[in-house]
Amino acid sequence: MRWSPRWCRGHVRRRASTRTWTRFFPRILLSAAGAAPSCSRATAPRRSVRWPSRLSAAASSPWTPAPRPKAAPSSTAMGPKMLRLAGDRAAGAIPYLVTPEFTAQARETLGAQPFLGPEMKVVLDTDQARARATARDYLTLYLSLPNYTNNLTRAGYTEDDFKGGGSDRLVDALFAFGDAERVRFRIEEFQKAGADHVAVQVVLSEGQDDSELLRQYRELAQALPLRS
């Protein structure tokens, strides 16, 4: 679960709510997220400048409904500066729209101790052409946001990879296609690269509804080696 400064203003309130959630729901992982640059005010300072003051303000909150945890992991951490900040001032990073190769670089930047829980998208469809089409429908929005394309450019992708919803090379790297066994294999790739946890996001094709989403998550839950 993520909280965002856009909808939850006030570092004291945010810190207090984090402590309350972690006290009563210890298995829920709360993380901090910021809006993409194109969604933020044009006059706002760079997030690598804003985040240190946010984390300091949150850490000094006087509200203590539960024992003080370290600051929540930062899900906005993708670039080198934000990753170093997440490792030094927060509990770690939950990067979005990334690959196992990025995960290995992130682990090197964070060091051995901070939490690293990359997100991985899944299309449970064994028809590769159809699965790629589903992935491209989902990916198109993110390929218009510079924070994601900048990170993918650092990983070696080019403008050609961002056209038309993403090249085959890009969508195959960002998504797991196929059955639950293939998903397990991709999760293991992230774990071998240094992930402590992999956040699996099921992506549905057009016309599928919430009941199908729940069915697919249940299918994955039965097939994957989940730990309580």
Side-chain angles (χ1 to χ4, degrees), residues 69-195:
K70 196 172 184 180
S74 173
S75 63
T76 58
M78 293 189 295
K81 290 182 180 179
M82 285 297 295
L83 280 169
R84 285 193 290 271
L85 181 65
D88 293 341
R89 302 289 299 279
I94 309 177
Y96 188 83
L97 207 69
V98 296
T99 64
E101 291 75 18
F102 169 90
T103 301
Q105 295 171 0
R107 173 52 71 198
E108 183 176 351
T109 301
L110 285 170
Q113 295 304 316
F115 177 86
L116 179 57
E119 175 270 352
M120 182 190 73
K121 281 165 287 298
V122 171
V123 179
L124 282 180
D125 191 338
T126 56
D127 185 307
Q128 186 180 65
R130 190 170 56 205
R132 282 175 171 168
T134 298
R136 289 189 173 100
D137 285 344
Y138 183 87
L139 198 56
T140 298
L141 169 64
Y142 293 95
L143 295 182
S144 69
L145 300 176
N147 55 321
Y148 293 110
T149 55
N150 289 344
N151 193 55
L152 291 169
T153 299
R154 283 190 293 267
Y157 296 95
T158 69
E159 288 294 328
D160 288 339
D161 289 305
F162 306 148
K163 296 176 181 177
S167 64
D168 287 349
R169 178 172 82 113
L170 181 62
V171 297
D172 289 353
L174 295 175
F175 286 75
F177 302 134
D179 56 15
E181 188 58 35
R182 175 61 181 168
V183 173
R184 180 203 292 264
F185 175 78
R186 290 300 306 277
I187 288 174
E188 289 175 352
E189 287 184 331
F190 279 91
Q191 290 174 328
K192 290 176 182 177

Side-chain angles (χ1 to χ4, degrees), residues 122-127 130-135 137-138 175-178 201-217 219-220:
V122 171
V123 179
L124 282 180
D125 191 338
T126 56
D127 185 307
R130 190 170 56 205
R132 282 175 171 168
T134 298
D137 285 344
Y138 183 87
F175 286 75
F177 302 134
Q201 178 185 2
V202 171
V203 175
L204 298 178
S205 61
E206 186 177 358
Q208 294 180 315
D209 58 17
D210 289 345
S211 62
E212 175 62 17
L213 181 67
L214 289 174
R215 187 197 68 77
Q216 292 191 21
Y217 272 122
E219 179 181 341
L220 288 173

Side-chain angles (χ1 to χ4, degrees), residues 46-61:
R46 293 180 62 85
R47 67 175 70 180
S48 59
V49 176
R50 296 196 306 266
W51 273 102
S53 61
R54 286 177 177 169
L55 292 172
S56 295
S60 62
S61 165

